[in-house]
Amino acid sequence: MAAGGPGPHLAGGRLTIDLAALAWNYRFLAQRSAPAQAAAVVKADAYGLGLAPAARTLWQAGCRRFFVALPHEGLALRAVLPEAEIFVFNGLFGAEAAAAYRRGRLIPVLNGQSDLSVWEAHGWDAPDRPRPCALHVETGMNRLGMTGEELRALATENALTQALSPLLILSHLACADTPDHPMNRRQCESFQALRAVFPEIESSLANSAGIFLGGDFLCDLTRPGIALFGAMPVGGMENPLRPVVTAEARISQIKRLRAGETASYGAAPLARDTIVAVAAVGYADGYLRAASGSGVPLRKVVPGAAGFIHGKEAPVIGRVTMDLTLFDVTALGPDAVAVGDHIELFGPNMPIERVAEATGTIAYELLTAIGHRYHREYLGDGL
Ligand SMILES: *Cc1c(COP(=O)(O)O)cnc(C)c1O
């Protein structure tokens, strides 16, 4: 078992990252993607969980193609996986960035004219082909990506010059988390028409949620990210994935407060006598302030998040602060919770999707906000 972050006796929280579950999720998603291949998206430090252990595990599970967002993430990944094919979504910022791509044999995703110029002028050449790259075409996300016209112009020009070697054409779905949204079909049809502009190369459309749309959304290569890490990207479906991350906070103190006393910033008055467990994790650890509990002016309607301890749920009470969060453990009875116990913030007993909903956000944000103050334990490293 590998470890990371501050030592277990020094940290306010601990993260347990189950690499066997990550490998299982990859294999599951690869099966769901067949006959397409499944890549892995490991941007933002593998969604906050640690790039190196996640990438090694995915490689061992059979993944050979990876996507990151930025060139420095690509270089970090190259150091871990010398033989992987590494694509970078959005970071061909200029000649100096291109030098990093050369150094790391990173393949840029070209998103428009400026990327095309940079790569033609500063890209690297593989032994059998010049300037390998992927092409990102817009179908409705309207974030990055070249227009259909730009794509056709590139095809015409490149047929003459052969300056670039596109390996993959991709687009990104805007509404895949809502399977019956009409946008999905529209984007899929636009993409099928555009991929025909480069008929001889591979195509990729589906992120995690897109894999669950199946059929012609799968194309040749899928790009799952969040689902690898156990969160279900599609609403209203049972989650077939294994939970990968458990986040827990150490209980630092227990307080017995009377009705009418107040809790945390803003002095939320307590409606009844309350046993409060003070946990050593706060918004600086990605336990967002929007998870604050009832009785708090921040949230008048939604009750806020809850933790899980000794078989029961414990709601957040009062405002989440930078380093500390209060939980109402009254329902567990007196003396049920002790200093030094850990309360689960999310994990197998408290689904991250539920915490995200109570926080007014999505699992993606909770994972990528985790930060570096947790003690980390990686289960199944080197499996
Ligand atoms: C982040 C990202 C993905 C992965 O998305 P998930 O919803 O996490 O599966 C795929 N493609 C692109 C272009 C992305 O930016």
Side-chain angles (χ1 to χ4, degrees):
M1 181 186 71
H9 306 295
L10 307 178
R14 72 181 174 213
L15 281 183
T16 309
I17 294 152
D18 183 347
L19 297 173
L22 171 61
W24 191 92
N25 289 341
Y26 174 76
R27 286 191 219 101
F28 175 84
L29 293 163
Q31 250 165 37
R32 288 290 296 239
S33 300
Q37 263 184 27
V41 179
V42 291
K43 58 194 179 186
D45 198 27
Y47 288 52
L49 303 187
L51 178 65
R56 266 197 302 270
T57 302
L58 290 161
W59 177 270
Q60 280 161 12
C63 185
R64 295 293 176 267
R65 314 175 88 182
F66 293 80
F67 289 85
V68 293
L70 293 163
H72 67 85
E73 297 175 336
L75 291 178
L77 182 55
R78 177 57 75 212
V80 180
L81 298 179
E83 290 168 46
E85 190 173 37
I86 303 175
F87 294 93
V88 182
F89 282 131
N90 22 270
L92 195 55
F93 298 129
E96 286 178 24
Y101 283 75
R102 250 192 330 270
R103 205 159 63 242
R105 282 172 294 117
L106 310 177
I107 302 172
V109 175
L110 305 183
N111 292 299
Q113 194 51 54
S114 75
D115 288 351
L116 291 169
S117 320
V118 170
W119 199 239
E120 279 180 22
H122 305 287
W124 52 271
D125 294 336
D128 53 339
R129 53 187 156 208
R131 310 307 201 235
C133 56
L135 307 174
H136 180 185
V137 65
E138 265 306 342
T139 52
M141 180 73 178
N142 288 326
R143 193 172 57 171
L144 284 175
M146 60 187 86
T147 63
E149 278 152 52
E150 288 172 316
L151 184 78
R152 290 195 178 89
L154 168 64
T156 309
E157 194 191 310
N158 204 53
L160 295 173
T161 63
Q162 306 280 317
L164 301 174
S165 305
L167 309 176
L168 177 72
I169 179 168
L170 65 93
S171 194
H172 194 45
L173 295 166
C175 303
D177 57 343
T178 314
D180 51 6
H181 198 296
M183 189 70 181
N184 292 321
R185 185 48 42 204
R186 238 180 291 151
Q187 283 193 271
C188 190
E189 282 165 13
S190 309
F191 185 62
Q192 302 302 351
L194 290 165
R195 69 180 275 195
V197 175
F198 282 90
E200 71 285 2
I201 66 175
E202 287 183 292
S203 63
S204 174
L205 180 61
N207 61 348
S208 297
I211 293 173
F212 292 92
L213 295 173
D216 49 2
F217 286 87
L218 300 173
C219 301
D220 300 308
L221 183 70
T222 61
R223 308 189 306 270
I226 192 80
L228 294 169
F229 306 108
M232 184 59 183
V234 185
M237 265 175 82
E238 205 183 317
N239 186 354
L241 304 157
R242 300 206 170 155
V244 173
V245 199
T246 307
E248 297 166 292
R250 174 197 298 278
I251 304 297
S252 289
Q253 211 173 68
I254 316 282
K255 293 193 144 62
R256 290 178 169 73
L257 300 176
R258 294 268 170 217
E261 286 193 275
T262 64
S264 194
Y265 288 123
L270 299 172
R272 54 172 169 76
D273 293 358
T274 305
I275 306 175
V276 174
V278 184
V281 158
Y283 61 73
D285 307 291
Y287 201 65
L288 304 183
R289 188 166 176 270
S292 294
S294 58
V296 180
L298 269 180
R299 305 191 74 84
K300 291 208 170 81
V301 187
V302 195
F308 187 89
I309 184 164
H310 302 323
K312 284 213 166 67
E313 288 186 18
V316 174
I317 194 157
R319 287 187 196 168
V320 174
T321 72
M322 187 184 294
D323 316 300
L324 297 166
T325 302
L326 312 183
F327 289 91
D328 181 348
V329 295
T330 316
L332 280 83
D335 308 319
V337 179
V339 169
D341 288 354
H342 279 78
I343 182 165
E344 183 178 317
L345 305 175
F346 54 80
N349 300 296
M350 179 55 65
I352 189 168
E353 296 85 358
R354 231 189 98 188
V355 181
E357 196 184 349
T359 306
T361 185
I362 50 179
Y364 299 75
E365 191 178 25
L366 295 187
L367 290 183
T368 54
I370 279 170
H372 299 283
R373 302 202 305 183
Y374 284 90
H375 171 66
R376 292 171 179 237
E377 289 183 359
Y378 291 93
L379 307 181
D381 201 9
L383 58 157

